[in-house]
Every structure is written in structure tokens, then in C-alpha cells.
Amino acid sequence: MELYARVRRAVLVEGRSQRMVGREFGLARKTVRKMLEYSAPPGYQRQKPVRRPKLGPWQGVIDSMLEDDKHRPRKQRHTAKRIFERLRAEHSYLGSYTIVKDYVRLSKIGGQEMFGPLSHGPGEAQADIGEAIVVITGVECKAHFMAFDLPHSDDCFVQAFPADTTEAFLEGHVRPFEYFGGVP
């Protein structure tokens, strides 16, 4: 990152040519041009999905093992290492463990439900804490807030504090109950 900043400074601030800066830092002109295009390194972006030619014929076997595991107790489910060992012993698999491990991890992540239903009955409350930039008498400062919400009735209570302290946390719990008239 330091080299990135030095190259950008040399060209943009000091006004030196890209070619001269490239020679000085031992970089190709294309690299210098790319460094000038982005204020921070853009990182690597994979163009195509990963190909796994050695794993291809056994993906169905792995998927069936993982599907069977859904009906077993958590402690009796296959680990990626155990799946790899079974593929080697039972199916003459010649690929590496890393490929199997990555495939199993992606399969498990893909099979998980990533949301919960948003239905709230009467008397249920939600609480959240956070930070926000606020303007008080024309001065920007950070405030810590606590928000209580009653989703069934759409009633809410928010209070901001100058610091994230135990006293603020406790007061942030007492005041909403006073506002709502007790426990919902």
C-alpha cells in the first residue's frame, strides 16, 4: 500500500512522468497506469468459477453423503476430512484434500437458510445499539444510541448518549420501559 501511495504521489502531486516513475520503482508502465486509475488497490477478481476436473465425477457422491448427514445427529455427521478418506478408500479418488474441503464448505454454506421469518406477535420487543454521527449546535460528533421497537404496534423509542458506558446501557433499558408503560 505504501508503494501504491508513493507512485500516485510521484505522478499526481510531483508531476513526474509515468515512464520515469515506473523506472524508478521498477514497475511496468501498465502497472503505473493501473495504480493511477484506482485510489486503492482494487484486489483480485476471479473471472470464471473454479474448475474441479478431478472432483467432478464424485460431486454426486459427496452431495449424497451431505444429504444423508442432514438426518443424523450433529456429532455423527461427516467432516470434510472423513469424506476425503471415504472417497480415497471406497471410490479410488486421486485428487487433493483441499479441493474436497472447499467443495464441502461451499455445499454446507449453500444449504443453510440465511434468513428468518419476520413475524412478531403482540408483546414482542426488539432492541438494538449502535453509533451515529450527529450534529449538535452545528458541531458533528459521534453519539451512541439504543433503540427499542415494538414491531406489532409500530411503536419505538430511541435514546442517544455521548458515550458507550455501563450507565448509558442501563439507562437505555430503563427509559423505554417507562415510555411503554412497563413490559410489553
Side-chain angles (χ1 to χ4, degrees):
M1 191 66 182
E2 182 185 333
L3 175 66
Y4 207 86
R6 288 174 48 203
V7 167
R8 288 179 58 84
R9 179 174 177 74
V11 175
L12 300 174
V13 176
E14 297 169 8
R16 299 191 305 194
S17 72
Q18 292 179 24
R19 182 177 292 204
M20 186 168 63
V21 170
R23 270 194 224 123
E24 181 182 333
F25 291 105
L27 300 169
R29 280 183 291 154
K30 277 186 173 181
T31 304
V32 173
R33 194 174 321 121
K34 286 179 186 177
M35 289 175 146
L36 295 173
E37 264 182 64
Y38 303 100
S39 59
Y44 176 74
Q45 299 278 326
R46 188 179 292 279
Q47 300 299 321
K48 298 177 184 174
V50 178
R51 289 184 39 236
R52 298 179 180 98
K54 286 190 177 181
L55 188 65
W58 291 281
Q59 285 179 350
V61 175
I62 294 172
D63 290 340
S64 68
M65 286 183 200
L66 294 174
E67 188 62 37
D68 291 343
D69 281 351
K70 289 180 181 176
H71 306 292
R72 295 175 182 230
R74 195 175 247 346
K75 292 278 189 177
Q76 294 179 2
R77 295 180 186 171
H78 287 88
T79 62
K81 185 171 176 21
R82 180 66 184 129
I83 290 173
F84 172 71
E85 290 168 353
R86 281 191 60 192
L87 286 175
R88 281 263 163 111
E90 298 171 14
H91 301 283
S92 305
Y93 174 69
L94 300 175
S96 71
Y97 167 69
T98 306
I99 295 171
V100 174
K101 178 187 67 165
D102 291 344
Y103 182 78
V104 169
R105 181 177 45 82
L106 290 173
S107 295
K108 285 183 178 181
I109 288 172
Q112 291 178 350
E113 195 169 304
M114 301 305 253
F115 65 92
L118 291 177
S119 63
H120 303 282
E124 290 185 12
Q126 295 178 330
D128 199 7
I129 56 175
E131 296 177 353
I133 302 297
V134 296
V135 178
I136 300 174
T137 63
V139 179
E140 256 190 24
C141 58
K142 186 192 302 186
H144 301 269
F145 67 88
M146 185 141 209
F148 269 77
D149 182 44
L150 299 178
H152 191 75
S153 64
D154 285 336
D155 197 4
C156 68
F157 180 86
V158 179
Q159 184 172 8
F161 302 96
D164 189 13
T165 62
T166 304
E167 290 83 8
F169 181 79
L170 295 174
E171 186 177 342
H173 278 79
V174 171
R175 292 274 177 97
F177 293 119
E178 290 172 357
Y179 171 79
F180 293 131
V183 177

